[in-house]
Amino acid sequence: KAGVTQTPRYLIKTRGQQVTLSCSPISGHRSVSWYQQTPGQGLQFLFEYFSETQRNKGNFPGRFSGRQFSNSRSEMNVSTLELGDSALYLCASSLGLAGVRQETQYFGPGTRLLVL
Amino acid sequence: AQSVTQLGSHVSVSEGALVLLRCNYSSSVPPYLFWYVQYPNQGLQLLLKYTTGATLVKGINGFEAEFKKSETSFHLTKPSAHMSDAAEYFCAGGTASKLTFGTGTRLQVTL
């Protein structure tokens, strides 16, 4: 079974631009979570989508948004990019079984975003 | 607030020596704990997880961790380090949809 895939793997943008990152979960997984990884702040939770609805949200400004499609694929968008948005963005998927809180999240390789 | 603390941002061991990476969690973290490993320019790979049941959890690549509720700890160990174990290790806690990560420990393995 194929793992979590993320595209693109690398991206360079300039301040003020916007960017869209894509994540395809493992087949059959319905929950997709996004994380930002930076040297200074470590791994931080952005948001989680399940059945096309945002179910959880971290402490990030409104410039960070996401969505999920009916096939469980997810995109995240960052508008008005700032230098501090340079990071590795990781996507993780899990089955999303109702009432099962201790499922495992499987991570993709990440998209490395550099903002100049 | 939920928190996961990893003691030691860098750990260096000799090949063949015991690996011990420390992780403590706050009591507000749901008792679902994970260790992930990250190799350079890659995503996170699950090493092992504790959910319920046996407190000694065995994972991949010879790693294991023991859940100690009284000490709020979930330390990762491996009896004998291998050069290929050099990577960054993250302890995490939380539910399926939202994990709280520690700051990571970079493991260096020397000859």
Side-chain angles (χ1 to χ4, degrees):
Chain A
K1 185 181 281 190
V4 178
T5 58
Q6 294 187 244
T7 56
R9 291 293 310 276
Y10 302 92
L11 208 49
I12 299 175
K13 292 286 187 179
T14 56
R15 279 182 301 174
Q17 288 187 309
Q18 74 165 14
V19 67
T20 299
L21 312 180
S22 180
C23 171
S24 292
I26 292 171
S27 178
H29 284 195
R30 297 194 300 164
S31 171
V32 174
S33 297
W34 288 88
Y35 294 83
Q36 182 196 63
Q37 185 178 23
T38 60
Q41 299 297 319
L43 279 151
Q44 293 185 288
F45 172 76
L46 278 157
F47 31 63
E48 182 231 359
Y49 284 86
F50 176 78
S51 291
E52 302 179 64
T53 301
Q54 189 180 86
R55 192 161 68 170
N56 279 297
K57 190 176 189 306
N59 296 322
F60 278 82
R63 300 186 296 108
F64 292 82
S65 63
R67 60 177 175 169
Q68 186 181 34
F69 302 94
S70 58
N71 62 358
S72 295
R73 188 177 69 86
S74 177
E75 290 181 346
M76 68 162 281
N77 183 276
V78 187
S79 62
T80 319
L81 284 166
E82 301 177 358
L83 295 179
D85 297 333
S86 295
L88 180 67
Y89 290 89
L90 292 165
C91 164
S93 75
S94 61
L95 283 167
L97 297 174
V100 179
R101 301 171 70 213
Q102 66 270 38
E103 288 185 309
T104 297
Q105 288 193 329
Y106 295 90
F107 284 79
T111 294
R112 187 165 295 280
L113 171 65
L114 176 62
V115 181
L116 301 176
Chain B
Q2 300 181 352
S3 69
V4 174
T5 304
Q6 290 183 244
L7 298 175
S9 58
H10 289 85
V11 171
S12 181
V13 300
S14 301
E15 190 174 36
L18 171 72
V19 175
L20 171 60
L21 304 182
R22 300 178 187 274
C23 173
N24 288 87
Y25 63 94
S26 67
S27 56
S28 60
V29 172
Y32 309 124
L33 297 164
F34 306 80
W35 275 98
Y36 284 88
V37 61
Q38 186 177 34
Y39 297 99
N41 298 315
Q42 293 188 27
L44 301 175
Q45 180 183 6
L46 179 70
L47 279 176
L48 49 81
K49 69 176 183 179
Y50 170 79
T51 53
T52 58
T55 56
L56 183 61
V57 181
K58 294 187 183 299
I60 62 171
N61 301 339
F63 285 94
E64 62 182 36
E66 186 170 10
F67 173 70
K68 292 186 176 180
K69 186 175 181 179
S70 60
E71 298 177 7
T72 59
S73 68
F74 190 57
H75 302 332
L76 180 72
T77 61
K78 181 174 180 177
S80 177
H82 191 272
M83 295 296 289
S84 61
D85 294 327
E88 189 152 22
Y89 292 79
F90 292 92
C91 181
T95 62
S97 56
K98 180 179 179 180
L99 290 174
T100 298
F101 283 88
T103 50
T105 297
R106 186 168 298 279
L107 176 65
Q108 181 183 19
V109 182
T110 58
L111 288 172

